[in-house]
Amino acid sequence: MSTKVIHVLYNDDDVLMDAVKATRAAHHHIEEVFTPFPVHGLDKAMGLKPTRLAICAFIYGLCGLSFATYMMNYIMIQDWPQDIGGKPSFSYIQNMPSFVPIMFELTVFFAAHLMVITFFLRSRLWPFKKAENPDVRTTDDHFLMEVALHGNEEEAVEFFKNTGAVEVKVIDKH
Amino acid sequence: MYTFSGKLKTFSIILMVLGIVGIAYGFLTAPKTVEQVEVILSEQHHGGHGSHDAHAAPAHGEATAHATPAHGEADAAHKEHQKHLEHVLHQLQNKPWAAVYIGCIFSMLVALGVFTFNQIQYAASAGWSPVLFRVMEGLSAYLLPGSILFFLLLVASSSHLNHLFVWMADGVTEPGHANYDAIIAGKSAYLNIPSFLIRAVVFLAGWNIFRMLSRKNSLALDETGDLTYYKRNFKLAATYLVFFIVTESIMSWDWIMSIDAHWYSTLFGWYVFASFFVTAITVIALSTLYLKNKGVLEFVNTSHIHDLAKFMFGLSIFWTYLWFSQFMLMWYSNIPEEVTYFIFRIEEYNLPFFGMLVLNFVLPILLLVNTDFKRLSWIIVMAGTCIIVGHYLDFFNMIMPGTVGASWFIGAAEIGSVFFFGGLFIFVGFSAIAKAPLLAKNNPMIEESKHFHY
């Protein structure tokens, strides 16, 4: 069985914002919005949950810090505590200032890279991925709102035409 | 329009009175003769006081080591003992002076930091902060009384009322004199009392004139709506920032680094700047929260608070970066002439030295890293308290070791000085805030700032 969706196209982000608010108020379910650039406040208007990527990054940073501490404690203090230029390798804390640059960099490295990878995984982005663009114009100067169609088709189309749309299409989605 | 509430006024006056009592107590109980020091030391020895024992021990050990059998051990030990007593006497006599000095320079520099932040906002044409300009202008009003008090302290040091600056002592630059110090003598082209005082006058007067003009223009803009005043303030801010960065750097050498006249550090000016600048922004944030709580800052929303909290967070890290860069470079290379600065602090000031790192870095970073937390008043008050206490300790660590050495403790004079200058800061700052409407009217950025949303 095929489901039907409505593709509504706009050519202005302000119109889009108003349309999104009106659509939500009329209890149509917005499946997706495609825009050529970030529209400020769109996520709030759509009622999307805030991202937890920052929390991930914080945890990854702690992992990096632990890794750096463990690594240097093992190498410099436990495994071969050599006297290098009079540095006190008796315990980690005694020689800690010289490890701080590495601890800092690894914290940043882990936080940044793992967060980016998390972002790619969560948003399903990778090389050779097939683009999911419903209309080529949405990467240039058009905004597209995809709404699930339940009930009366004519009524829905009429509703979206009144939201300032430049084009309303009913699409069969397989 | 804000009226200086009677409660806060009484509170600040009580703080000042308590402060004066504490400072007076500190001065009255400071020992005047070597005999008194002997009594104090013997009491501490019996009481088993840690820091003095630790300090006294090497001196006595040295005494026995130096004593040769020919001269008689007892005689040399006695001489060393007398020398040690005199050393401790000078430290204890310095203690109340140093306590006042720290409170005075810290509060004065915080006012300067508030003004500098204000000028940066002007020069950057910031769109978010104009609703806070009157708070900043008000708090920076403390700069004038603060500078006058501070200059009087510098004059007191220059007229040998205390021994805060070792290079000011008699005969330090005269070859053959008992106090002669070749290293300080080599720096005397820079470190001499007349040029020291002239520099102080130029810096303090310069900052105060800039502040006066900026405030005048800001009020005139309110009255007339003539944008030339705004443009004038913009140019003034740009000029001030150039003047500030040069004078601030030299100021830190003169008023803080020269206390340890044998030591030098190249990033010291930045380090001092970071310390009082982050405190200044914290003071702005706390005052804003207080006024917002009173209901007189209707246009200030959580986004403004959020921005201030971001500055507190970022600059705390900036301070730590400079602290660590200064510490680690000297620790790593371990050159005796510069590393003694830190060795002495780690040995004798262990808790304040590392404690401030927790207060200034660890707690703010954990409290303020979260976006939602940066909008909660109580979190900002908590982090702000850490930052203010921490940076007071930072100044304590910069000034105390060079003036009172191991004879430090946080007693009546230190707490009294914090109370006195804190009370005075609140009194002057909030009186000035009450003198003008809290919303700068005709600033071209004010509409944007009112609707600022992050």
Side-chain angles (χ1 to χ4, degrees):
Chain A
M1 193 193 136
S2 70
T3 49
K4 282 187 172 177
V5 292
I6 306 183
H7 279 180
V8 197
L9 278 128
Y10 302 94
N11 58 8
D12 188 282
D13 48 341
D14 287 334
V15 180
L16 172 77
M17 284 290 280
D18 292 338
V20 165
K21 281 171 199 157
T23 311
R24 296 245 306 157
H27 297 294
H28 287 287
H29 178 71
I30 302 176
E31 298 270 350
E32 196 67 84
V33 176
F34 296 87
T35 65
F37 53 79
V39 178
H40 261 286
L42 184 62
D43 49 341
K44 277 218 179 82
M46 287 170 70
L48 298 180
K49 275 192 231 142
T51 171
R52 290 169 295 184
L53 214 50
I55 299 168
C56 287
F58 186 76
I59 294 167
Y60 298 148
L62 291 182
C63 293
L65 185 63
S66 315
F67 172 71
T69 311
Y70 171 78
M71 177 182 79
M72 284 180 299
N73 183 52
Y74 176 69
I75 297 174
M76 302 299 292
I77 311 293
Q78 306 296 333
D79 190 38
W80 195 349
Q82 207 180 190
D83 184 342
I84 303 163
K87 287 278 163 285
S89 299
F90 308 108
S91 73
Y92 192 74
I93 196 75
Q94 275 192 310
N95 208 2
M96 202 193 71
S98 52
F99 301 143
V100 166
I102 298 159
M103 288 158 73
F104 170 78
E105 292 296 347
L106 278 178
T107 306
V108 175
F109 178 87
F110 271 60
H113 289 83
L114 291 180
M115 178 182 73
V116 168
I117 293 168
T118 309
F119 167 75
F120 283 149
L121 290 176
R122 290 294 288 148
S123 51
R124 291 157 217 263
L125 284 174
W126 57 85
F128 314 113
K129 176 197 165 77
K130 201 171 168 294
E132 293 165 354
N133 196 350
D135 191 311
V136 287
R137 288 172 296 173
T138 61
T139 62
D140 183 15
D141 62 349
H142 276 63
F143 305 82
L144 189 148
M145 181 166 72
E146 186 180 295
V147 187
L149 180 61
H150 303 290
N152 194 322
E153 187 178 319
E154 244 115 274
E155 223 172 76
V157 170
E158 194 56 34
F159 171 83
F160 287 111
K161 275 194 173 147
N162 287 333
T163 55
V166 288
E167 202 178 306
V168 180
K169 292 184 288 191
V170 179
I171 306 275
D172 260 331
K173 217 179 180 184
H174 303 288
Chain B
M1 200 74 184
Y2 163 73
T3 41
F4 192 7
S5 79
K7 247 190 198 164
L8 190 65
K9 196 180 264 177
T10 326
F11 174 68
S12 63
I13 290 170
I14 289 173
L15 275 184
M16 281 190 271
V17 172
L18 283 177
I20 289 174
V21 172
I23 292 169
Y25 178 82
F27 275 104
L28 291 176
T29 51
K32 276 158 205 75
T33 59
V34 176
E35 285 72 40
Q36 283 173 322
V37 175
E38 194 146 29
V39 174
I40 293 173
L41 284 184
S42 66
E43 270 170 11
Q44 279 168 349
H45 277 289
H46 292 304
H49 192 284
S51 75
H52 276 285
D53 274 341
H55 185 73
H60 290 306
E62 230 173 278
T64 33
H66 279 280
T68 49
H71 291 285
E73 228 170 81
D75 192 35
H78 178 72
K79 238 177 159 178
E80 280 296 328
H81 183 59
Q82 283 303 316
K83 241 179 138 182
H84 171 62
L85 287 180
E86 207 173 305
H87 180 61
V88 175
L89 173 69
H90 286 155
Q91 293 185 335
L92 290 176
Q93 282 179 334
N94 258 346
K95 209 174 112 14
W97 281 103
V100 173
Y101 188 84
I102 295 168
C104 192
I105 193 173
F106 185 57
S107 52
M108 190 264 293
L109 288 180
V110 166
L112 181 69
V114 172
F115 178 59
T116 307
F117 188 65
N118 190 358
Q119 296 307 289
I120 290 175
Q121 301 302 309
Y122 265 117
S125 299
W128 67 278
S129 53
V131 292
L132 300 171
F133 276 6
R134 284 292 147 79
V135 179
M136 299 181 205
E137 284 170 14
L139 291 174
S140 61
Y142 176 78
L143 188 57
L144 184 61
S147 315
I148 293 170
L149 287 176
F150 183 68
F151 186 68
L152 291 178
L153 269 182
L154 292 185
V155 171
S157 292
S158 305
S159 28
H160 305 293
L161 290 178
N162 57 47
H163 306 284
L164 290 184
F165 298 92
V166 72
W167 57 267
M168 284 178 180
D170 282 325
V172 168
T173 54
E174 291 169 34
H177 195 283
N179 281 346
Y180 179 68
D181 184 321
I183 294 174
I184 292 177
K187 297 181 179 183
S188 62
Y190 182 80
L191 285 181
N192 58 76
I193 291 174
S195 69
F196 177 78
L197 288 180
I198 291 170
R199 284 196 299 270
V201 170
V202 171
F203 300 168
L204 293 169
W207 300 334
N208 276 292
I209 290 167
F210 272 111
R211 198 206 87 89
M212 241 171 50
L213 291 176
S214 175
R215 168 77 163 178
K216 222 176 76 190
N217 284 338
S218 170
L219 291 181
L221 180 67
D222 238 30
E223 294 276 305
T224 58
D226 184 354
L227 278 185
T228 45
Y229 289 112
Y230 178 78
K231 285 180 191 160
R232 231 180 264 175
N233 251 2
F234 177 83
K235 283 177 194 156
L236 197 71
T239 322
Y240 166 76
L241 290 173
V242 175
F243 176 75
F244 169 77
I245 204 57
V246 176
T247 53
E248 191 275 335
S249 191
I250 302 174
M251 165 280 275
S252 72
W253 311 333
D254 275 6
W255 302 340
I256 302 177
M257 199 156 80
S258 84
I259 283 172
D260 298 279
H262 281 194
W263 180 80
Y264 52 85
S265 160
T266 36
L267 60 69
F268 196 73
W270 278 108
Y271 172 68
V272 173
F273 167 71
S275 187
F276 70 78
F277 195 56
V278 66
T279 319
I281 289 165
T282 308
V283 168
I284 297 172
L286 295 186
S287 308
T288 307
L289 281 176
Y290 170 79
L291 292 167
K292 176 82 186 155
N293 218 15
K294 288 264 149 196
V296 287
L297 282 177
E298 53 175 321
F299 292 110
V300 172
N301 56 39
T302 48
S303 295
H304 296 104
I305 305 292
H306 188 160
D307 260 28
L308 285 172
K310 275 192 279 188
F311 271 108
M312 283 161 64
F313 176 72
L315 286 164
S316 284
I317 293 167
F318 177 61
W319 173 87
T320 315
Y321 165 66
L322 291 175
W323 177 86
F324 182 72
S325 303
Q326 184 173 269
F327 171 72
M328 194 265 253
L329 280 180
M330 293 193 176
W331 173 87
Y332 206 103
S333 56
N334 205 20
I335 299 172
E337 68 198 56
E338 53 185 27
V339 84
T340 46
Y341 184 84
F342 288 109
I343 288 179
F344 187 71
R345 275 158 181 77
I346 290 171
E347 282 177 356
E348 298 291 346
Y349 288 72
N350 200 288
L351 184 64
F353 188 69
F354 290 111
M356 74 168 177
L357 205 58
V358 176
L359 287 170
N360 290 340
F361 175 63
V362 180
L363 293 177
I365 204 176
L366 292 177
L367 284 170
L368 293 174
V369 72
N370 189 315
T371 304
D372 297 328
F373 282 8
K374 285 198 270 274
R375 288 162 186 264
L376 298 177
S377 311
W378 64 277
I379 292 269
I380 294 174
V381 170
M382 249 166 60
T385 314
C386 290
I387 290 174
I388 292 175
V389 174
H391 286 284
Y392 169 78
L393 275 182
D394 187 15
F395 274 75
F396 188 86
N397 281 324
M398 286 194 270
I399 290 162
M400 277 292 177
T403 51
V404 309
S407 308
W408 71 278
F409 59 94
I410 296 186
E414 284 77 6
I415 295 170
S417 145
V418 171
F419 277 13
F420 175 74
F421 288 103
L424 190 65
F425 190 95
I426 294 175
F427 186 83
V428 175
F430 281 81
S431 310
I433 292 175
K435 277 190 190 120
L438 269 175
L439 187 70
K441 244 192 316 185
N442 295 312
N443 190 308
M445 305 285 181
I446 201 78
E447 274 310 308
E448 181 184 342
S449 180
K450 275 197 244 176
H451 302 292
F452 172 69
H453 187 76
Y454 168 74

